[in-house]
Amino acid sequence: MAAVHPLHKMVEQRRNGEKVGIPSYCSANKYVLEAALERAKASRRPVLIEATANQVNQFGGYTGMRPKDFKALVTGMAESLGVDESLLILAGDHLGPLTWSDEPEKEAMKKAEDLVREFVEAGFTKIHLDTSMKLGDDSKTEMLATEVIARRGVRLYKACMDSYEKVKAANPDAMRPVFIIGSEVPIPGGAQEAEEGINVTRPEDFRDTVDTYKRIFAEEGAQDAWNDVIAVVVQPGVEFGDAQVFYYDRDDAKALCESLKDYPEIVFEGHSTDYQSRKCLKEMVEDGIAILKVGPALTFGLRESLFALSRVEEELVPEERRARFEDVLIDAMLEEPKNWKKHYHGSEGEIAFARKYSYSDRCRYYIGDEKVQGAIDKLIGNLSEIEIPMNIIHQYLPKQYDKIVSGELAKTPLAMIKDGVAQYMEDYEYAAY
């Protein structure tokens, strides 16, 4: 018999009055994944790791990985780090026709069904069904009706459960997947343009989503399907763009969060929670936004620590031996601009600044580049060969300095790099546990 899903347990804890949640780490970066797994090993808490549909899909996505490949990557890392695989929760984010939204419904939804099947068959057990986008033959002028969104979502749910039955036939103990729905879904990776403000999901729209899904589940002969749904994606008023962050205001979200009390069997999932303060994150969990999605902030923290160590290298390593990580990264971005060009706007100087420091962190698409990874390896090698003075660590990596002094962090370049990621994870752990 399959065990109870950890996220069902989390929802049950909340029903019992515990203000708990869980961070959801959405990244394929090896340093981010290692940091997340190491923290799970130390805490013995489940770790939720997500792959997005444009990142990992049946055609390889931008990482070149299919769902089974991503799972192998994560489980292989877990094994090498000594992390109990039972602590892993693998999730698929924005699963639906997102990547094929310019195609007609017939073709796009067929590909979406194939997509969700691959995720379930690979062992992903948290599935975000996202059918919120218009497809090629939808009206260009009318809003996409909740009815249409839900019917497409239920179709994908049924494809998932067909695949789960096949998985269970081979392994009776296979974990039953849980589902996230929602018709008001922020785009992956944050806003592309500066915004005037964020519209919080209206309580009536949230209720309409729930009621419509329940009705269509019943119409499709899946009356018990609602038991598999644990969360609805809503917009609680948080978002980020190139240089702006919209912070959570619980007063603005009060009516929305009050409406959740009518549905104790579910929680809210918040997307684009990157860069929220730990106070904001804690308030979100307290208010029912119990699943906190974060992605770009993690690689932003990685980039911060790599830039800081590059400054240390400039002070301590002869010029001819330096890794020049920052230059190599920017060169890679300029050679292949497709992953940032449509996202950054303004003067030449403003765009150059955004390439390095934008909150949307399009740098993350280049960290895995062979030349960029080579520069990282060289940077780590250069700084591993010398004794780094504590005063220069204080200058460029003050948070890591404090942890080294207290004995929490090893005084090595790799440890400091991964702590650039972990400093963001700590905020989520403070909020969720």
Side-chain angles (χ1 to χ4, degrees), residues 330-341 365-366 369:
I330 297 305
D331 286 347
M333 296 180 76
L334 291 173
E335 286 172 15
E336 188 56 75
K338 69 176 182 179
N339 290 316
W340 58 265
K341 199 166 186 69
Y365 293 93
Y366 301 87
D369 177 89

Side-chain angles (χ1 to χ4, degrees), residues 82-270:
V83 181
D84 187 340
E85 193 172 331
S86 68
L87 296 175
L88 294 179
I89 307 172
L90 291 178
D93 188 35
H94 291 285
L95 299 191
L98 170 72
T99 310
W100 310 286
S101 59
D102 57 340
E103 298 182 22
E105 179 181 22
K106 183 179 179 181
E107 287 80 4
M109 286 299 295
K110 175 61 172 64
K111 290 177 180 175
E113 285 183 313
D114 293 341
L115 171 72
V116 299
R117 287 181 185 278
E118 280 210 16
F119 270 85
V120 172
E121 288 168 13
F124 288 68
T125 64
K126 174 184 176 285
I127 305 295
H128 171 213
L129 300 175
D130 181 7
T131 50
S132 62
M133 68 293 299
K134 289 183 178 182
L135 302 182
D137 47 5
D138 287 326
S139 168
K140 302 294 188 291
T141 57
E142 297 177 10
M143 286 185 62
L144 198 60
T146 306
E147 174 93 11
V148 174
I149 293 168
R151 288 202 178 278
R152 290 172 179 170
V154 170
R155 176 178 168 183
L156 296 183
Y157 166 84
K158 294 174 77 173
C160 288
M161 296 313 294
D162 283 346
S163 290
Y164 172 66
E165 290 303 322
K166 294 176 185 176
V167 171
K168 193 170 67 165
N171 175 16
D173 295 329
M175 185 78 70
R176 186 181 180 91
V178 296
F179 293 86
I180 316 299
I181 61 169
S183 59
E184 196 159 326
V185 185
I187 62 170
Q192 293 185 17
E193 308 279 356
E195 299 190 33
E196 295 291 324
I198 299 296
N199 293 319
V200 175
T201 299
R202 300 185 307 167
E204 54 266 38
D205 292 336
F206 159 59
R207 292 192 183 97
D208 181 46
T209 292
V210 171
D211 294 343
T212 304
Y213 262 91
K214 283 184 172 181
R215 174 173 57 81
I216 295 174
F217 276 137
E219 290 175 3
E220 293 291 326
Q223 289 87 344
D224 296 332
W226 186 251
N227 296 329
D228 294 322
V229 177
I230 61 157
V232 176
V233 178
V234 293
Q235 174 50 274
V238 302
E239 183 57 277
F240 62 92
D242 268 356
Q244 62 184 165
V245 178
F246 291 95
Y247 293 98
Y248 181 64
D249 184 329
R250 69 188 333 171
D251 289 335
D252 288 346
K254 185 175 181 180
L256 172 64
C257 293
E258 285 287 330
S259 67
L260 185 61
K261 293 177 181 177
D262 295 332
Y263 305 94
E265 71 277 16
I266 58 173
V267 296
F268 286 145
E269 176 167 289

Side-chain angles (χ1 to χ4, degrees), residues 345-410:
H345 309 283
S347 67
E348 189 174 324
E350 289 169 333
I351 292 172
F353 185 85
R355 277 196 296 267
K356 292 184 182 181
Y357 303 115
S358 169
Y359 283 133
S360 68
D361 189 48
R362 311 302 295 184
C363 297
R364 69 186 186 275
Y365 293 93
Y366 301 87
I367 295 293
D369 177 89
E370 185 176 349
K371 291 179 182 178
V372 177
Q373 185 58 57
I376 295 172
D377 293 340
K378 187 173 183 179
L379 175 64
I380 292 171
N382 283 344
L383 295 180
S384 297
E385 292 173 358
I386 59 178
E387 181 69 26
I388 306 175
M390 286 298 290
N391 49 5
I392 200 168
I393 294 176
H394 192 285
Q395 174 68 39
Y396 291 110
L397 298 111
K399 290 184 178 179
Q400 287 70 36
Y401 174 92
D402 289 341
K403 292 179 181 178
I404 293 169
V405 168
S406 68
E408 298 173 59
L409 185 68

